[in-house]
Amino acid sequence: MKKFKIAFVSSEVVPFAKTGGLADVAGALPKALSELGHDVLVIMPKYGVISEDKYRLNKVIERIDVQLGDWPMEGSVYEGRFPGTEIPVYFIDNKDFFNRQELYQVHGKDYEDNLERFTFFSKAVLETLKKLDTKPDIIHCNDWQTGLVPTYLKTIYSNDPFLQDVKTVFTIHNIGYQGLFPKEKFHITGLGWDQFHYERLEFHGKLSLIKGGLVYSDVITTVSKTYSREIQTEEYGHGLDGLLRHRNEDLYGVVNGIDYNVWNPMIDEHIPAKYGPDNLSGKGRCKKTLQRESGLAVKDVPLIGMITRLASQKGLDLVQEIMKDLVSMDVQFIILGTGEPVYHEFFKKTAGEYPKKISVTIGFDNALAHKIEAGSDIFLMPSKYEPCGLNQLYSLKYGTIPLVRKTGGLADTIVNYTPSNLKAGKANGFVFKEYSSKALLDTIKDTARLYPRNNLWHKLMLNGMKQDFSWHHSALEYEKLYRKAISCQ
Ligand code: ADP
């Protein structure tokens, strides 16, 4: 079987920089592809949070030149490796644009020069490949930050002899984030005005970077089969459903895998006791420690966990609406998240009133995320939409039963508990359909009633813990799609 040279381009990559699931994917899929024998390299920006010493980065390109509209700009490129592998990671450096602690925004407000930053990045990706003299078969782009890469290949760089026949795959991790900028800034892209057209990069009078990826890539993917169908509907398409229906034949859903070297209670260094399906006792210790450390009462009641960006997409308005009922029940709730200030205030206030029942941590804390996965009994994801969702997959591995709304990747991975689904060995969680606080509360109540039934609960836990959502399967699907992209004219 022919092996490919793949340049994987992402604005965030674990372990170097992360704000959400994209970074997890970008940190794991390249490794899985490399394990299949493909020749993979990764390109990302060199943010201020990335330590040169820790990752032993070397400058490999002293200077690349990138034109931003009328302004000639320059940058340089550093090389590192994914820890424990030989897979090269190239970091595009431009101090003005990337030497910042946050990736896209501060205090909930997007940086004003995000267009300049990611235009620079996208052009620099192509210039870097040329300088490295590395011609990939495929450039795999991700989300709006990289939407100009396929665009440039089919426009400004279309006659570049070095980049001839390079194919692109564009993955949508969340269609709600589109990279929209005012028309007045369009010139920064350096594209001709013919591109500012509704069939190309224009979106209701604005410049849309995600459209560059959707219009010009050879194959489009998104991160679950259900989401690939949902985004072709008005309800979920965020205005791009028409374009996606138009490109329906090139649009595929591939569910994300998870990295069991990172998310695995048998080897997890962040949790107080290790455990696995053959020995569950450590999970009890993880729960007690979590309760103690987070100020909750140490007792045997269902502990419901949540780790999330505090964004309305995640169904937090429903959680807000049921909070009064939740605190009157014999359950506990622990949430870790950061995002919209209205949720910060609400959850902080509630935790202040019920410190033994509700624990709230506002911030981004990877170690605590692992502790919550291990210590909770139930993991809550009542999302309005969820392209794939990773936490429900982590939860399965940690024997923490997901309680989810039936949408996107949640619908594809979580099978609702019913006695017959359990008997068939399929049930691995609790699922509700309607986006309403009543449906959520009813499901939590049903779940809490089942919690004392040890045998049943254990069976559900074990069903999930034994499932395999490793990247290997998904990498094989991407391999097929790369082949398809390469056969595109
Ligand atoms: P999204 O990409 O929409 O944020 P995903 O479920 O796909 O949602 O991925 C979220 C990832 O980010 C998971 O790995 C989750 O554990 C992590 N995460 C989200 N918020 C936090 C936080 N406040 N602290 C630590 N990890 C977080």
Side-chain angles (χ1 to χ4, degrees), residues 218-370:
D218 296 297
V219 166
I220 305 169
T221 76
T222 189
V223 289
S224 67
K225 296 219 181 328
T226 296
Y227 194 61
S228 74
R229 289 190 295 272
E230 285 175 342
I231 55 179
Q232 296 180 54
T233 67
E234 213 180 315
E235 189 184 352
Y236 289 91
H238 287 260
L240 292 170
D241 42 296
L243 171 55
L244 290 164
R245 284 195 298 276
H246 176 69
R247 292 222 55 192
N248 169 281
E249 294 201 343
D250 302 315
L251 170 61
Y252 297 84
V254 181
V255 74
N256 288 333
I258 68 170
D259 189 341
Y260 288 124
N261 291 316
V262 179
W263 294 96
N264 182 348
M266 289 189 278
I267 55 168
D268 192 331
E269 294 298 337
H270 296 293
I271 61 178
K274 301 191 187 13
Y275 63 92
D278 299 328
N279 179 7
L280 283 171
S281 61
K283 185 160 175 72
R285 272 186 54 204
C286 289
K287 177 172 175 181
K288 285 200 179 96
T289 310
L290 181 65
Q291 286 173 320
R292 199 171 341 102
E293 289 181 351
S294 55
L296 297 168
V298 179
K299 60 192 246 199
D300 188 19
V301 294
L303 174 52
I304 304 173
M306 214 173 164
I307 303 161
T308 180
R309 286 183 296 112
L310 297 177
S312 54
Q313 171 210 336
K314 300 292 182 179
L316 295 158
D317 49 343
L318 302 188
V319 179
Q320 260 181 321
E321 284 169 35
I322 65 160
M323 200 44 92
K324 281 245 147 14
D325 298 280
L326 210 58
V327 294
S328 71
M329 291 169 62
D330 209 9
V331 299
Q332 295 174 339
F333 179 66
I334 180 164
I335 181 165
L336 163 66
T338 175
E340 294 171 20
V342 344
Y343 296 121
H344 291 194
E345 278 160 37
F346 171 77
F347 285 114
K348 276 275 166 216
K349 185 167 164 286
T350 317
E353 289 166 13
Y354 304 94
K356 297 276 168 211
K357 284 199 148 184
I358 312 276
S359 164
V360 174
T361 304
I362 302 297
F364 197 94
D365 184 338
N366 185 48
L368 180 57
H370 284 252

Side-chain angles (χ1 to χ4, degrees), residues 12 14 18-25 173-174 177 223 256 263 306-310 313-314 335-339 361-370 373 379 381 385-392 394 410:
E12 50 184 275
V14 160
K18 164 168 170 174
T19 68
L22 165 61
D24 290 293
V25 175
H173 296 262
N174 190 330
Y177 296 86
V223 289
N256 288 333
W263 294 96
M306 214 173 164
I307 303 161
T308 180
R309 286 183 296 112
L310 297 177
Q313 171 210 336
K314 300 292 182 179
I335 181 165
L336 163 66
T338 175
T361 304
I362 302 297
F364 197 94
D365 184 338
N366 185 48
L368 180 57
H370 284 252
E373 280 294 358
F379 197 91
M381 296 180 79
Y385 71 93
E386 193 63 69
C388 175
L390 292 170
N391 276 115
Q392 84 277 17
Y394 304 153
L410 300 173

